[in-house]
Amino acid sequence: MNRPVLGIPQNTIEILQRYNFSFQKKFGQNFLIDPHVLDKIITAAQISKEDTVLEIGPGIGTMTQYLAETAGKVIAVEIDKNLIPILTNTLGGYENVQIINEDILKIDINELVMEENGGKPVKVAANLPYYITTPIIMGLFESHVPVESITVMVQKEVADRMQTGPGSKDYGALSLAVQYYASPYIVANVPPNCFMPRPKVGSAVIRLDCHKKPPVEVKDEHLLFDIIRASFNQRRKTLVNGLNNSDRLSFPKETIIQAVEKLGRGASVRGESLTLEEFAELSDYLTDNRPEH
Ligand code: SAM
């Protein structure tokens, strides 16, 4: 068995200098340089030789080396073409790693998983580029990519928003969307000095265990998410006004009032205090009482 050689600052610096690599801010490049954090991510992801792992943004291949040691196969998708020669070198000893030079937001991940893993669920592991955390995660969920779990480094504040419930200031559309598709669990908080260069924000590793079936069943999933977005768009407004003011929704105010009344939470309830189950109830009532055109 090989030992990962990256993950310690000296080796990362040596590689970066050898290839004269300059960090690209626009790609959210903050490379991990702490073996303890890497071990934590790998342990939390619960990867075995049975697993195929999709890594988003391998950088110079630091986490990829750890993944290659534990997984059956690793598919690593990296946007920056300047990193490809580096990856070819640092991952050269691993036959179970495939490097793909693509934008993760543009490739068809379903097709990739079909080709590389016969359509069987993969595990996602990544130190994500923070500028596109939400589109990456929501993209995986909404395109119904077969994924068992997602273990990722994200901005601490985003991890909190994913994990929290009603009543917290962090609760919002992202919390509900993530919790509709998965059970979130914050594994560890990670300070800026574990990265090169240091990010300006704190980070956290979060594990999302994907549901086989969503915890609530609704008649119209699109409407559910339109309602959720409308409810949090104007946080300070009541739920009735938030839904009534939204241009995504076109229900008569009377119908909205009745739908909210049915929840039994009072007419002035705000979206931020509703559970996913209550949003589902609201959505089904509005589906059943949709105005005819
Ligand atoms: N995994 C490496 C590590 O932990 O050291 C690098 C993590 S760094 C935070 C994010 C990585 O994602 C960078 O290598 C960056 O070039 C890559 N990246 C940024 N945008 C991407 C995109 N749209 N598709 C694929 N990779 C992307």
Side-chain angles (χ1 to χ4, degrees):
M1 205 191 207
N2 301 317
R3 287 245 120 244
V5 292
L6 296 172
I8 43 174
Q10 301 90 296
N11 292 356
T12 297
I13 292 168
E14 196 268 317
I15 295 269
L16 297 175
Q17 285 178 343
R18 192 178 341 140
Y19 285 86
N20 202 11
F21 177 80
S22 3
F23 288 100
Q24 298 237 41
K25 220 172 165 187
K26 67 169 180 188
F27 289 145
Q29 291 175 340
N30 300 95
F31 298 163
L32 264 168
I33 47 163
D34 187 318
H36 299 294
V37 175
L38 286 152
D39 280 335
K40 248 188 203 159
I41 300 174
I42 302 299
T43 308
Q46 295 179 358
I47 294 161
S48 76
K49 285 287 168 198
E50 310 294 303
D51 295 315
T52 294
V53 176
L54 169 64
E55 187 190 7
I56 298 160
I60 60 167
T62 308
M63 195 196 298
T64 327
Q65 289 190 339
Y66 283 72
L67 293 169
E69 294 292 333
T70 39
K73 184 170 180 180
V74 184
I75 313 162
V77 180
E78 173 57 59
I79 195 170
D80 186 352
K81 67 172 177 3
N82 293 331
L83 286 168
I84 304 304
I86 303 184
L87 286 166
T88 310
N89 174 343
T90 58
L91 302 172
Y94 296 101
E95 286 185 357
N96 59 345
V97 179
Q98 181 167 0
I99 305 158
I100 299 175
N101 183 203
E102 284 283 359
D103 180 342
I104 193 70
L105 295 180
K106 294 208 177 120
I107 51 165
D108 184 335
I109 308 178
N110 270 305
E111 201 178 293
L112 185 67
V113 172
M114 183 51 82
E115 277 167 15
E116 299 296 332
N117 204 36
K120 291 195 300 293
V122 294
K123 290 183 176 169
V124 174
N127 169 18
L128 286 179
Y130 294 172
Y131 73 109
I132 44 171
T133 300
T134 304
I136 291 176
I137 290 183
M138 292 317 296
L140 290 167
F141 287 146
E142 285 169 359
S143 9
H144 296 285
V145 175
V147 174
E148 208 174 309
S149 62
I150 301 174
T151 307
V152 280
M153 181 82 72
V154 296
Q155 196 177 325
K156 160 109 181 61
E157 191 193 310
V158 175
D160 289 341
R161 275 163 46 204
M162 289 181 182
Q163 199 191 30
T164 198
S168 141
K169 67 169 178 29
D170 295 324
Y171 187 56
L174 181 66
S175 330
L176 285 151
V178 165
Q179 291 164 31
Y180 180 78
Y181 292 106
S183 302
Y185 162 67
I186 294 182
V187 175
N189 290 328
V190 181
N193 62 5
C194 296
F195 302 85
M196 184 186 292
R198 294 181 184 193
K200 290 203 177 69
V201 292
S203 301
V205 178
I206 191 163
R207 182 184 154 107
L208 309 173
D209 275 312
C210 304
H211 297 310
K212 295 213 164 60
K213 214 167 94 193
V216 294
E217 238 176 86
V218 284
K219 296 176 181 170
D220 182 343
E221 210 171 88
H222 285 289
L223 179 63
L224 172 70
F225 285 108
D226 279 347
I227 290 172
I228 289 173
R229 277 186 215 107
S231 308
F232 289 96
N233 251 352
Q234 298 177 299
R235 276 191 98 96
R236 305 179 67 88
K237 293 233 156 49
T238 63
L239 179 60
V240 169
N241 285 337
L243 300 184
N244 192 45
N245 293 346
S246 163
D247 42 16
R248 289 172 180 275
L249 304 169
S250 52
F251 292 92
K253 188 161 186 186
E254 217 23 61
T255 311
I256 295 173
I257 291 172
Q258 283 160 8
V260 172
E261 258 173 17
K262 268 210 91 217
L263 296 175
R265 301 281 306 267
S268 59
V269 68
R270 292 192 182 175
E272 64 201 21
S273 73
L274 259 55
T275 61
L276 178 59
E277 289 70 20
E278 287 171 313
F279 275 110
E281 197 182 323
L282 195 60
S283 170
D284 277 354
Y285 182 91
L286 290 173
T287 305
D288 291 340
N289 293 278
R290 218 187 277 268
E292 282 174 28
H293 290 293

